[in-house]
Amino acid sequence: MFARGPLLTAQEGASGTFVHRLREIGLENFLKAYPLTQLVNWGWVIPFRRLVFPLEYFESWPTFPSFGKRTTAEFGEYDLLWDSTWSIEDDSGDLWFLHPAFHPGDATEQLLESNVTVMSPPPVPDEIHLSNGSVVKPYVDFFFNWQAYALIDVIQAADCIAPALNTPDVESRAQGIVSIANRVKDWKPTDVLHNDRQWGGLASLMTRLSHYGALREAVTTIGTDHDGREALRRKGARLLAKHFGITAESLGSAIKEDLLRLAQDWRS
């Protein structure tokens, strides 16, 4: 069995584990009105990475977009990044507790890092036509789980104008909406992504939690007994903390000063 990795995907900007996550937290109808590709263009949610896949990758996958046997094993790293799922079977290897996309020097990590772009929004590749008749936008955007909640912060910040009902005074109300729009147009709702009291401002902490959540999920998918999984999870958590330089003191401080405060803000 496989679990979601720390990086969630948006394949072709429209499907994948990140899109599924947005729907899980109640944004399905919002995405119908404002597709993820538009939100990325606005900078309301910013991909951690965008990876463009070569034509040969899809041509070696005759049944694309359905699951099926690939004609070549040449694109193993691309396979791992197309859906970013993984599993942890044991504790062999120095970085077994991290998804391969975060193993320094690993082919998967190098492939992902080779596609870093400073352009915002990153360019969308043209559609390509495959020999099996399929058409694909050959890219995947990668996001951390916490970015779904950071997007909600942006949406809430942008929600400053009430809808106009078709009331007898709808025209005067519409003029009021225009007046409000003129006053707020120079303020960007994305400013909340830099607020250290909200999800975006806690990106470093939340990213580390994303790694732990992915580790925990991947361990629970392995075919061993419960005690064995728990022992492996605890070992992985300790190694993950050491890898990121997390101490008991810094973790306690983060829980008290950041996580509990954030939770309280969201409950209020």
Side-chain angles (χ1 to χ4, degrees), residues 161-226:
I161 301 176
L165 300 179
N166 187 14
T167 59
D169 60 347
V170 65
E171 290 185 1
S172 62
R173 288 180 178 272
Q175 292 174 0
I177 291 174
V178 172
S179 176
I180 294 173
N182 286 330
R183 290 200 305 269
V184 303
K185 65 182 180 180
D186 293 328
W187 178 84
K188 297 179 180 180
T190 52
D191 288 347
V192 301
L193 293 174
H194 307 289
N195 186 332
D196 61 8
R197 291 186 61 86
Q198 294 179 281
W199 290 87
L202 298 173
S204 178
L205 171 61
M206 295 304 177
T207 295
R208 294 173 180 180
L209 288 176
S210 291
H211 281 285
Y212 174 71
L215 164 72
R216 185 181 181 87
E217 187 174 336
V219 166
T220 60
T221 65
I222 66 174
T224 186
D225 61 275
H226 176 268

Side-chain angles (χ1 to χ4, degrees), residues 26-200:
L27 294 180
E28 182 169 3
N29 289 333
F30 183 84
L31 290 177
K32 292 177 181 178
Y34 305 100
L36 180 59
T37 51
Q38 182 67 75
L39 300 176
V40 170
N41 285 336
W42 287 345
W44 283 27
V45 59
I46 301 172
F48 171 73
R49 295 288 185 269
R50 171 169 292 177
L51 178 61
V52 178
F53 287 64
L55 171 63
E56 294 78 13
Y57 172 76
F58 300 101
E59 291 291 8
S60 70
W61 186 352
T63 58
F64 178 86
S66 302
F67 290 108
K69 186 176 181 180
R70 187 178 300 285
T71 59
T72 174
E74 177 184 358
F75 298 101
E77 291 79 22
Y78 282 99
D79 275 339
L80 187 59
L81 292 171
W82 180 255
D83 65 7
S84 79
T85 57
W86 68 321
S87 63
I88 297 176
E89 301 298 336
D90 55 46
D91 56 356
S92 61
D94 293 337
L95 296 174
W96 62 270
F97 51 90
L98 279 175
H99 188 279
F102 294 93
H103 291 193
D106 184 274
T108 305
E109 186 264 353
Q110 290 180 334
L111 176 61
L112 196 59
E113 291 303 306
S114 69
N115 283 265
V116 175
T117 176
V118 296
M119 298 180 65
S120 182
V124 176
D126 294 332
E127 292 182 342
I128 57 176
H129 295 258
L130 307 182
S131 58
N132 68 1
S134 299
V135 179
V136 60
K137 291 180 180 178
Y139 77 99
V140 173
D141 280 342
F142 298 94
F143 304 87
F144 289 103
N145 179 66
W146 62 264
Q147 291 185 267
Y149 300 97
L151 174 60
I152 292 179
D153 280 339
V154 178
I155 294 170
Q156 290 178 330
D159 186 15
C160 60
I161 301 176
L165 300 179
N166 187 14
T167 59
D169 60 347
V170 65
E171 290 185 1
S172 62
R173 288 180 178 272
Q175 292 174 0
I177 291 174
V178 172
S179 176
I180 294 173
N182 286 330
R183 290 200 305 269
V184 303
K185 65 182 180 180
D186 293 328
W187 178 84
K188 297 179 180 180
T190 52
D191 288 347
V192 301
L193 293 174
H194 307 289
N195 186 332
D196 61 8
R197 291 186 61 86
Q198 294 179 281
W199 290 87

